[in-house]
Amino acid sequence: MSTKQYPRTNTNGLPAENLNVAVVGGGLVGSLLALHLGKKGHEVDLFEYREDIRTAELVVGRSINLALSARGRKALAEVGLEEALLSHGIPMRGRMLHDLKGNCKVVPYDANTNQCIYSVGRKHLNEVLLNAAEKYPNIHLHFNHKLQQANLDEGSLRFVDPLTKETTEKQADLIVGCDGAYSAVRKEVIKRPGYDFSQTYIEHGYLELCIPPTKDGQFAMPHNYLHIWPRGKFMMIALPNQDRTWTVTLFMPFTNFYSIKCESDLLAFFRQHFPDAIDLIGRERLIKDFFKIAPQTLVMIKCKPYNVGGKALIIGDAAHAMVPFYGQGMNAGFEDCTVLSQLFNKHGSDVDQILKEFSETRWEDAHAICDLAMYNYIEMRDLVTKRSYLLRKKLDELLFWLMPNTWVPLYNSVSFSHMRYSKCIANRKWQDKILTRVLYCSSVAAVGAAGIFAYRFSSTAQFEQLSSAVLKWIKF
C-alpha cells in the first residue's frame, strides 16, 4: 500500500491544509476513518482504551458476526482493502429457514442477479484495518488509552492508562468520536443545551452459541446462507466462519432467558423450539455455552446534531447505535467514513463546513436505518414464515426483473445499493401505495365479476359460496 501523499485542493481549487486529528476509538469505524484521513495526508492519532486486538484473545459472547454489504464494501474499496476482506469473507446468498420439523427452505436475497452479503469476522477485520493504518507514517496508534476528560471547544483531550494510571494530554484540530454505543465523546456532546438524544433498550437480549465443524472438518450446514430459526416472538440465527464453525446467536425476550434456570429447562426449551439445533451444537456444548455468560442487552441510540462546531464529531455507533437485525451497523458506520471523506474532498480543510454538512445530512439516514433494523427483527423472527410475505417477495422480484431501474425491493436498496437509507424507506412507501391501488382495483374488478356471475347461479347457496371465496381472496 502506497503512503505517498500529494498536495490536495478543495473544490474551489484552494490548498487544503493538513489537520491534526484525534480519533477516539480504535474499533472498526475508528480504524477505517483513520485510514481515510491518513490517506488524505492528515496527521491522525488513534486512541483505543482496550489493548491491541491483534494480540488479545477473542472475547466470547459479544461478537455478533458481521455481514458486509455494498456500503461497507465501498468504504473499504476507497482505502484499497475491499478485495482483501472479500477473499476472507464467506458469501451468503440468502436466508435458509429452519422449521420445527427440521425442514429447510431457501429465500434468496436477490433471485435476479444473485447478489450476496459476506460473513466476516470482527476480529480479523479490525486486525486488517489496524495493520493497514500502521503502514502510514502519519497515523499513530495508541492502545490502553481511556478518555478521561475532554474540552471539545478547545480540542483538548486527556487519556489515562487503565493499567499504569499514567495520563496523556492531546491537543487536536479535530476530535472524532468512534467509541461505540456508550461513547465517552458523546457524553461530552450531550451536555450541550437543546441536544436531541434518545436511548432505547429493547426487551429482547442475545446470547451466543457455536456449531462446531463435522468430524471430517466440514461445515455442518450449507454454508452460503444465513441460517434462521424463526419462532414468532424470538429466533436463532447462524453465520459461517472461516474455520468452518458457525456463530449462533439466540435472540429472545429476557423473560424467556430467565425462565431457563437449569439444564433440563434448557434441553426442554430446545427440544420444543429448535430440535434440529441440539445435534448440530452438541448437547454438552449447548449446556456449557448457554450458562457460560448472561444474555446481553440490545440498544438503539438516536441523536443530533453529530458535531460540536468545527472541533468535534461523533460517527458510527457513537452517533447511531442500532439493533443488529439488518446487518447494517458496521456498514452504516463505514458509510459515515465515505460521506465524511467526500466532504473533505468537497471542502478541503474547512472543518466548520464539513462537520455542519455531515451532521445536517446524515442524521435522517441514520435514524432511518435504526428504524429499519427494528422492523427487520419482526420480519426475520416472524414474517418470513407467512404466505403474504413470500408472495410480496415474489412480486418484488418479478417487478425488479421487469423494471430494475424503477422497482428496487427494500432489502436490495438497503444492502446492495448506495441509496440513502431515508430514500429506501420512502421508496418502499411508494411501492406499498402502488400495490395497494392495484389490489384495490383488482378487488373491485373481482367483486364486479362476481356480481355478473351471480346471475348465472340459480341458488342462494351457490352465490354465497362464490361471495365467500371472493372475500377470502380480497383479505389475502
Side-chain angles (χ1 to χ4, degrees):
M1 178 185 298
S2 172
T3 59
K4 185 176 180 180
Q5 300 163 21
Y6 299 93
R8 299 179 298 107
T9 59
N10 60 22
T11 51
N12 297 319
L14 300 174
E17 298 177 359
N18 290 336
L19 302 170
N20 193 321
V21 183
V23 177
V24 182
L28 300 177
V29 175
S31 52
L32 179 60
L33 180 64
L35 281 168
H36 275 265
L37 297 180
K39 187 178 180 182
K40 295 180 184 300
H42 298 294
E43 199 74 19
V44 181
D45 284 276
L46 181 65
F47 297 94
E48 169 57 45
Y49 84 90
R50 298 167 299 185
E51 62 181 314
D52 190 340
I53 195 172
R54 294 170 294 181
T55 59
E57 292 185 9
L58 181 64
V59 178
V60 177
R62 297 182 60 192
S63 65
I64 300 186
N65 269 43
L66 303 169
L68 178 64
S69 53
R71 300 169 197 270
R73 290 176 59 177
K74 179 180 179 181
L76 291 168
E78 290 168 343
V79 293
L81 292 177
E82 180 188 18
E83 292 304 319
L85 269 304
L86 291 186
S87 64
H88 178 269
I90 298 174
M92 299 183 293
R93 307 195 180 282
R95 298 165 175 169
M96 182 169 284
L97 310 180
H98 295 244
D99 67 15
L100 285 170
K101 296 180 180 179
N103 300 317
C104 295
K105 180 176 183 176
V106 172
V107 180
Y109 288 131
D110 186 347
N112 296 329
T113 60
N114 204 31
Q115 295 190 85
C116 63
I117 59 178
Y118 289 81
S119 175
V120 294
R122 179 188 299 272
K123 187 173 188 291
H124 174 79
L125 177 52
N126 209 165
E127 289 173 346
V128 169
L129 292 171
L130 290 172
N131 287 336
E134 208 166 43
K135 296 179 181 179
Y136 283 82
N138 54 318
I139 299 178
H140 314 284
L141 308 182
H142 310 275
F143 299 100
N144 295 311
H145 278 64
K146 183 178 181 179
L147 183 61
Q148 185 181 57
Q149 185 177 332
N151 186 322
L152 302 183
D153 293 303
E154 296 181 0
S156 62
L157 301 167
R158 177 189 293 168
F159 298 90
V160 61
D161 187 318
L163 300 176
T164 66
K165 306 304 179 184
E166 294 181 4
T167 59
T168 302
E169 305 282 343
K170 174 63 182 177
Q171 191 71 34
D173 300 316
L174 172 62
I175 298 169
V176 186
C178 309
D179 48 342
Y182 305 101
S183 168
V185 177
R186 191 186 64 237
K187 288 179 181 178
E188 296 298 321
V189 181
I190 288 176
K191 296 176 182 178
R192 305 278 156 165
Y195 192 78
D196 289 337
F197 173 79
S198 69
Q199 175 177 281
T200 305
Y201 284 93
I202 67 172
E203 63 180 8
H204 296 236
Y206 74 93
L207 189 145
E208 248 183 37
L209 305 168
C210 178
I211 294 176
T214 60
K215 291 181 180 179
D216 58 353
Q218 301 303 311
F219 281 107
M221 302 182 294
H223 65 280
N224 290 125
Y225 301 96
L226 188 157
H227 289 252
I228 307 178
W229 289 258
R231 298 297 182 261
K233 296 296 183 181
F234 50 86
M235 71 173 182
M236 192 165 69
I237 67 171
L239 280 79
N241 298 312
Q242 278 287 340
D243 61 0
R244 293 180 171 77
T245 63
W246 293 82
T247 300
V248 181
T249 312
L250 175 60
F251 298 96
M252 64 181 183
F254 281 102
T255 52
N256 291 83
F257 277 117
Y258 297 151
S259 69
I260 301 174
K261 304 180 183 298
C262 60
E263 295 180 9
S264 59
D265 290 345
L266 175 62
L267 294 174
F269 175 80
F270 265 75
R271 289 191 189 106
Q272 179 181 357
H273 298 290
F274 310 109
D276 62 326
I278 297 175
D279 289 338
L280 290 169
I281 298 172
R283 183 180 180 277
E284 296 305 319
R285 182 162 194 162
L286 171 61
I287 294 170
K288 178 184 177 183
D289 289 350
F290 187 91
F291 293 108
K292 181 188 299 182
I293 187 171
Q296 306 293 298
T297 57
L298 293 166
V299 66
M300 177 176 69
I301 288 172
K302 294 180 179 179
C303 60
K304 66 172 183 176
Y306 298 142
N307 69 303
V308 174
K311 275 291 187 179
L313 181 72
I314 54 173
I315 67 172
D317 282 355
H320 45 72
M322 65 195 72
V323 293
F325 306 115
Y326 226 119
Q328 287 296 304
M330 172 188 68
N331 290 286
F334 281 7
E335 190 175 59
D336 286 347
C337 297
T338 294
V339 173
L340 194 57
S341 181
Q342 291 171 345
L343 290 173
F344 269 93
N345 293 339
K346 178 180 178 181
H347 298 296
S349 55
D350 185 353
V351 287
D352 288 315
Q353 185 60 37
I354 291 169
L355 271 55
K356 178 184 177 182
E357 189 169 333
F358 179 91
S359 195
E360 290 177 348
T361 59
R362 190 60 175 160
W363 74 264
E364 188 175 4
D365 294 320
H367 287 198
I369 189 56
C370 284
D371 293 335
L372 282 170
M374 281 301 302
Y375 161 78
N376 212 46
Y377 184 30
I378 300 171
E379 177 176 302
M380 292 174 72
R381 79 187 191 213
D382 188 22
L383 300 183
V384 290
T385 63
K386 297 187 180 300
R387 187 170 62 162
S388 56
Y389 168 83
L390 297 173
L391 177 63
R392 171 61 189 267
K393 184 165 180 60
K394 289 293 183 183
L395 184 58
D396 274 336
E397 290 172 355
L398 174 61
L399 294 173
F400 185 39
W401 179 73
L402 292 171
M403 304 176 290
N405 296 321
T406 303
W407 195 278
V408 183
L410 178 62
Y411 189 89
N412 296 62
S413 66
V414 171
S415 297
F416 303 132
S417 83
H418 302 289
M419 183 186 297
R420 291 184 59 176
Y421 288 124
S422 55
K423 175 65 175 176
C424 293
I425 292 181
N427 187 55
R428 176 67 171 213
K429 289 180 178 178
W430 170 79
Q431 292 172 353
D432 289 342
K433 189 175 182 180
I434 295 295
L435 291 179
T436 299
R437 288 180 177 178
V438 170
L439 182 61
Y440 175 77
C441 293
S442 300
S443 301
V444 171
V447 171
I452 295 172
F453 291 148
Y455 287 107
R456 300 185 181 182
F457 290 88
S458 59
S459 71
T460 302
Q462 288 176 313
F463 177 72
E464 289 179 349
Q465 189 177 22
L466 176 63
S467 300
S468 177
V470 171
L471 288 172
K472 285 182 179 179
W473 179 83
I474 291 173
K475 289 180 180 179
F476 175 78

